[in-house]
Amino acid sequence: MIVLAASLAALVVVGIRLARVAGARDDARATRVVRAAIWAFAILVVVEGVLGAAGRLEARAVLAALVTVAAALVLATRGRSLRVATAAREPVTPLEVAYLTALAAAIVFRTWAGLHKTTFLYDTLSYHLHVPATWLADRRLEIVPAVFGDPSSAYAPANLELWFAFLMAPLRSDVLAGSGQLPFAALAAAAIVAAVREGGGRRTAALAAALAFLLIPELWQQARTAMTDLGMAALLLAALPFAFRLRRGASPGDLLAAAAALGLAIGTKYAALPLAAPFGLAIAVSAGRGRVRPAWVAAAVAVLLATGGFWYLRNLVVAGNPLYPLATLGFPGLYDRAAMRAWDYHLPVRQVSAVGEMLVAAGLGFVLAAALVLLGRRPRPESWLLAALVGLFWLAIPYQESRFLFVAFGVAAVAIGRSATRPSGQLDWRLGALLLAGLVEFPTLERALVLPAGLAGGGAALAARRISERWRRPLVTGGLAALLAAGALALAVGVERYRARDPHYALGGELDDAWIWFRANVRGARVAYTGTNLAFPLSGHALSNRVGYVNVAGAPGDRLHDFARRAPPGRVVTPEPAPYREGASFEVWLRNLRAARAEVLFVAALEEIVARNVAADSDGFPVERAWADAHPALFHLRYASPAARVYGITP
């Protein structure tokens, strides 16, 4: 905990220092928060990227690097932070305190839910947590195989996985990483508030719009998980405040902050590339209205590459294609867009009603408010930006899953917030009432508690007005400090309780029981797995197991692109190919097991969709089960169920 706390403190120093140096006197408070968060995350990505490339990705090395960067920044920027001295601002109203309290309560409640969740998402266990756990075990960034299903995750940009690794390394646990999107939920809310304020909107409406965004049902559910869609949306939305600022006049600080936000976004997942395009266009158009020096553009491109573009450069160098394994733009790959559009997860373009269903799922109150604003006032740039995002989602992204619409919902929230520009606060109150109707539409205990928490905060603000100015500030400061201390203590206690218990990773199938047995009986081992991409639950207590797929063909270190280069020419008609499995032999597999020094073998039965492309026996198991059963002197059975087999491997 000490190493993690010190690392976070160093990140805060880095972010605040860079935000002060690159900011401006007229920054909204939320804009300063967004600046600090963007630059802190950018520095973390660069630091972990460099350490991972050098084979030094570990908690103490990251801490040392962050402290060094923080100290260097403090020394190099002494006396320059006065540029952003706070200007006089209108006092915060009780209604705004109520919204702020409700926003804080939403994050707290989602944190509690994240620490106590009993079910997990497939992608979380298949690679969002498995990839950073593998990096930490080997102390370096590497391409982690994804064999049984979609193989593209092995090559996908992984900025949020770097964040998860940062949270996992000091604790040797996913206790915080498992809910690692929560800081990005807060960033998304801050970005919406900042965009509304920089776009001329009222502070009250900005806070109401941010709260409405966090209460969108699917977003609310995903916030407590180690997925990446909310993080991607938050990073894209973080570029909006600077786009509004650039419209008022070009500034290198705003241009570089926008570039960092977009770079971090495209470095999060492939889907961010098309969705980032309209944001990039908005920034370019806004910056073009002022005098943009060539040096600023060059610096922005460098920031874009350093914060996210390097993943694509890695793929270009290693596999000959920045978007590997997708064959596109003339680059070689394993499958093309036609294969993806013929797969189970693609919705036919003509099925437009599906888009409507996804949009309405945001909640009738939110959708109604957005529709009234967009159709009645047609705000720019939100109207065309929202149209571009929905169009790209439907036409450019082959798998149109509703989670890719989070960023569109964020843009709609900005439009809603900017619409309330009248001097009267009544519109802000009515807007909030309409948006909070979502609490009634999708009732849960946690969501229901957000409203009384906000009312309590607003009531406290009203009561504070009756206290003399002499005592008001000390009481408010002391109360906030007490709340922060209580929150930190509760979080520390929760972390320790989580680390001491079995998190009971579960997806609701028979494989859950195998994971429970494995966590209780296998520690400190080198584990070879096969038959499933759900590898993270095998990492065990304190991430003590080194878990990896072992090739049944080729060399121990061969990856997907190595197998593809040796494969005979011909078009692959599935986006889930398995060239790893072609030409499999027991002798090669055993040799590779020895090279990996594997001590335990975990064999899972294949899922139905995976069995289309990978050979399985009558019970659904891959060939490794038959090989292990045929050589009992080398593989002794330790656990058996219809879903999995676990073998000890004789050295």
Side-chain angles (χ1 to χ4, degrees):
M1 287 294 291
I2 294 176
V3 173
L4 178 60
S7 299
L8 287 171
L11 269 183
V12 170
V13 171
V14 167
I16 291 177
R17 203 70 188 182
L18 285 173
R20 286 181 175 178
V21 171
R25 288 182 178 274
D26 62 341
D27 274 354
R29 291 189 181 98
T31 304
R32 294 182 184 177
V33 171
V34 173
R35 275 193 205 274
I38 286 298
W39 285 120
F41 187 38
I43 293 298
L44 177 64
V45 166
V46 172
V47 164
E48 286 195 307
V50 171
L51 291 176
R56 294 299 307 274
L57 187 60
E58 52 190 353
R60 294 185 183 278
V62 171
L63 171 60
L66 291 177
V67 169
T68 301
V69 172
L73 276 174
V74 170
L75 292 175
T77 60
R78 282 186 302 177
R80 298 180 61 186
S81 62
L82 293 178
R83 293 178 55 195
V84 293
T86 304
R89 302 179 190 273
E90 59 186 61
V92 178
T93 67
L95 181 57
E96 290 166 352
V97 173
Y99 282 132
L100 279 169
T101 307
L103 282 166
I107 299 297
V108 169
F109 295 154
R110 287 288 80 193
T111 302
W112 176 264
L115 291 175
H116 294 81
K117 58 179 173 284
T118 56
T119 58
F120 298 80
L121 300 178
Y122 184 96
D123 288 355
T124 295
L125 300 182
S126 65
Y127 64 97
H128 291 315
L129 291 179
H130 173 56
V131 166
T134 304
W135 290 345
L136 293 176
D138 295 340
R139 303 200 306 172
R140 61 187 174 88
L141 297 184
E142 56 192 321
I143 295 173
V144 180
V147 183
F148 302 95
D150 179 7
S152 65
S153 61
Y155 297 84
N159 279 351
L160 252 69
E161 282 75 13
L162 284 174
W163 168 247
F164 299 154
F166 172 74
L167 297 176
M168 292 168 71
L171 304 177
R172 304 303 301 178
S173 168
D174 66 313
V175 55
L176 295 179
S179 302
Q181 280 197 115
L182 283 166
F184 292 93
L187 173 61
I192 290 170
V193 174
V196 172
R197 297 294 284 152
E198 297 294 353
R202 292 176 56 83
R203 186 168 57 199
T204 314
L207 294 169
L211 178 59
F213 175 76
L214 289 187
L215 291 175
I216 292 173
E218 186 178 4
L219 191 150
W220 174 267
Q221 289 299 324
Q222 200 193 101
R224 62 174 185 160
T225 68
M227 295 285 282
T228 59
D229 308 290
L230 176 54
M232 176 188 73
L235 293 167
L236 289 173
L237 291 171
L240 266 185
F242 307 109
F244 280 117
R245 291 186 59 80
L246 287 168
R247 293 174 70 183
R248 302 199 299 265
S251 160
D254 293 331
L255 182 61
L256 293 181
L262 292 185
L264 292 169
I266 66 173
T268 298
K269 60 192 311 170
Y270 282 140
L273 268 180
L275 296 177
F279 287 91
L281 179 60
I283 291 166
V285 170
S286 298
R289 295 181 177 181
R291 295 182 178 180
V292 179
R293 300 177 183 176
W296 300 359
V297 177
V301 172
V303 167
L304 196 73
L305 292 174
T307 54
F310 66 91
W311 295 107
Y312 300 88
L313 293 177
R314 186 273 314 265
N315 290 347
L316 182 62
V317 172
V318 170
N321 179 352
L323 299 177
Y324 196 83
L326 176 64
T328 185
L329 302 176
F331 292 105
L334 269 179
Y335 51 84
D336 57 17
R337 288 175 57 84
M340 296 186 72
R341 290 180 177 274
W343 200 237
D344 296 35
Y345 308 125
H346 173 70
L347 295 174
V349 174
R350 61 180 180 276
Q351 193 177 332
V352 181
S353 60
V355 183
E357 293 174 3
M358 294 179 193
L359 293 174
V360 171
L364 291 178
F366 183 89
V367 173
L368 178 60
L372 290 175
V373 168
L374 293 169
L375 295 176
R377 300 199 176 189
R378 299 178 183 177
R380 294 182 179 180
E382 293 96 328
S383 293
W384 71 262
L385 187 57
L386 189 60
L389 289 171
V390 175
L392 288 168
F393 161 77
W394 192 244
L395 300 175
I397 298 177
Y399 300 156
Q400 313 98 319
E401 299 182 25
S402 55
R403 52 200 172 101
F404 299 149
L405 284 172
F406 288 172
V407 63
F409 295 147
V411 172
V414 172
I416 292 170
R418 286 214 305 142
S419 70
T421 55
R422 297 179 185 177
S424 171
Q426 291 184 353
L427 181 60
D428 297 342
W429 183 88
R430 293 170 183 170
L431 175 64
L434 175 62
L435 298 176
L436 290 175
L439 294 173
V440 178
E441 186 179 359
F442 303 100
T444 66
L445 177 60
E446 282 182 274
R447 290 164 64 85
L449 290 175
V450 169
L451 181 58
L455 292 175
L462 283 173
R465 288 187 167 186
R466 299 177 178 272
I467 302 174
S468 68
E469 185 66 29
R470 177 183 178 184
W471 298 103
R472 187 184 305 165
R473 185 177 295 274
L475 285 174
V476 171
T477 303
L480 289 175
L483 285 174
L484 288 174
L489 179 61
L491 181 61
V493 171
V495 167
E496 289 305 315
R497 288 182 60 187
Y498 185 100
R499 292 175 64 189
R501 71 178 178 88
D502 184 347
H504 295 294
Y505 301 111
L507 290 177
E510 293 181 327
L511 201 57
D512 298 351
D513 295 331
W515 291 337
I516 293 173
W517 181 93
F518 200 91
R519 185 177 179 89
N521 293 277
V522 180
R523 291 192 180 186
R526 300 182 72 87
V527 179
Y529 77 92
T530 185
T532 179
N533 269 342
L534 298 168
F536 181 73
L538 307 178
S539 298
H541 180 74
L543 306 180
S544 61
N545 300 325
R546 199 291 180 193
V547 182
Y549 171 76
V550 173
N551 288 328
V552 295
D558 281 353
R559 295 296 182 257
L560 178 64
H561 59 277
D562 298 309
F563 289 98
R565 286 168 180 164
R566 295 193 293 264
R571 182 176 297 275
V572 176
V573 295
T574 169
E576 298 193 358
Y580 297 92
R581 311 290 296 177
E582 296 174 4
S585 74
F586 173 76
E587 291 73 19
V588 171
W589 180 57
L590 184 61
R591 179 201 67 196
N592 291 340
L593 284 172
R594 298 292 189 228
R597 293 180 290 152
E599 301 166 288
V600 177
L601 171 65
F602 184 92
V603 186
L606 300 174
E607 294 187 4
E608 181 179 353
I609 192 171
V610 176
R612 301 181 194 178
N613 303 309
V614 178
D617 62 22
S618 59
D619 293 324
F621 287 93
V623 68
E624 287 93 330
R625 174 202 175 182
W627 287 343
D629 289 342
H631 298 83
L634 297 176
F635 303 92
H636 52 279
L637 187 63
R638 297 181 58 185
Y639 173 87
S641 76
R645 298 282 193 275
V646 180
Y647 302 85
I649 302 176
T650 302

